[in-house]
Amino acid sequence: MTISKEPSNQELLGSFEPCDFEPIRDERHSKFTAGTCQWITREWQFQRWNLQNNLPWILGRAESGKSFIAHYLCEHLEQENLIPMCFFFDSKSTDTKDLRSLRKFYHTILHQLLNQIPRADSNLRAKFFEIVRQRVQDEDLTPKCLKEAKRDVLAMVQPAFLVVDALDECTGTDPEVLKEWLEELKTSQKLQVGKASKTLLKILSTSIFS
């Protein structure tokens, strides 16, 4: 897909065709027990994540509540007026294969990031959209140009937070590509990344964390 000359802000956002996680978040919210998961924000790993760029993992057995912790973190960050973004992998999804791979990751994250630029500050909003427009204009929405657009926007905002749920269900991506993606996230300036997963993929634990 190629973006036409000078699309409006809404047209630019729509061209990303992001994954919509609102139905998933609404479902989790309806099942969430008030007062639970608050302990995570008191853990030193979270405090460290909140202060500096690092990559904490939340590990646990299947159905042990990792996704609800991820949900709580997203809501907590929103309540703190920070910039949260999220991506929820799901290898069992029957609606879209995009939740099984990285194909829509940068489309979705950039869409979420731009949507959180304060609408009240029209000048700032216009500046951010122009930065992205310059990156993607007359190009297909390749991971490279979307990644560069994300980097340029992050360089001008307060630190943003990314919550990735069920990384072990990213089964549609080559392990080497997944490894490079994790390394890229780890070195992203002003982006804090937290992940929830049943187990560390072997290639990640041996190639990155050993």
Side-chain angles (χ1 to χ4, degrees), residues 16 44 50 55 66 87 95 113 142 155-156 168 185 201:
F16 296 150
W44 69 266
N50 204 17
L55 198 156
K66 300 179 301 300
F87 199 91
D95 296 329
L113 184 58
T142 62
M156 300 181 63
D168 51 295
L185 289 183
L201 301 177

Side-chain angles (χ1 to χ4, degrees), residues 42-205:
R42 297 191 291 269
E43 293 292 313
W44 69 266
Q45 293 95 332
F46 177 84
Q47 298 294 334
R48 185 180 175 208
W49 183 49
N50 204 17
L51 293 173
Q52 58 183 290
N53 193 357
N54 62 87
L55 198 156
W57 291 79
I58 300 173
L59 302 176
R61 297 177 182 274
E63 308 298 328
S64 61
K66 300 179 301 300
S67 292
F68 283 103
I69 292 176
H71 169 77
Y72 171 76
L73 286 177
C74 289
E75 291 201 334
H76 172 78
L77 294 167
E78 288 173 345
Q79 292 167 3
E80 293 293 315
N81 293 318
L82 298 170
I83 302 178
M85 296 170 288
C86 65
F87 199 91
F88 304 148
F89 291 105
D90 186 354
S91 62
K92 300 178 290 295
S93 173
T94 57
D95 296 329
T96 174
K97 293 183 178 179
D98 292 336
L99 300 184
R100 308 175 194 174
S101 72
L102 295 176
R103 194 177 79 83
K104 282 290 186 179
F105 175 79
Y106 288 108
H107 299 69
T108 303
I109 294 307
L110 187 56
H111 184 276
Q112 292 177 9
L113 184 58
L114 289 174
N115 254 339
Q116 294 186 74
I117 298 171
R119 295 180 183 276
D121 193 334
S122 58
N123 291 332
L124 180 65
R125 192 171 176 82
K127 185 174 184 178
F128 281 124
F129 272 87
E130 183 57 30
I131 289 172
V132 175
R133 194 174 282 112
Q134 290 175 2
R135 281 292 183 188
V136 302
Q137 194 171 23
D138 296 328
E139 288 189 44
D140 289 332
L141 294 179
T142 62
K144 182 177 182 294
C145 77
L146 292 170
K147 188 186 306 183
E148 291 173 345
K150 171 188 70 71
R151 180 198 63 201
D152 292 347
V153 173
L154 283 173
M156 300 181 63
V157 300
Q158 62 178 316
F161 293 78
L162 172 61
V163 177
V164 180
D165 187 36
L167 179 60
D168 51 295
E169 297 192 28
C170 182
T171 57
T173 298
D174 181 88
E176 282 299 321
V177 175
L178 194 59
K179 174 188 171 184
E180 292 174 3
W181 170 73
L182 277 173
E183 287 288 3
E184 185 267 325
L185 289 183
K186 286 173 64 179
T187 57
S188 291
Q189 293 186 347
K190 301 181 75 173
L191 176 65
Q192 314 288 80
V193 186
K195 295 181 173 65
S197 174
K198 294 187 186 71
T199 58
L200 289 178
L201 301 177
K202 183 177 180 181
I203 188 168
L204 302 181
S205 60

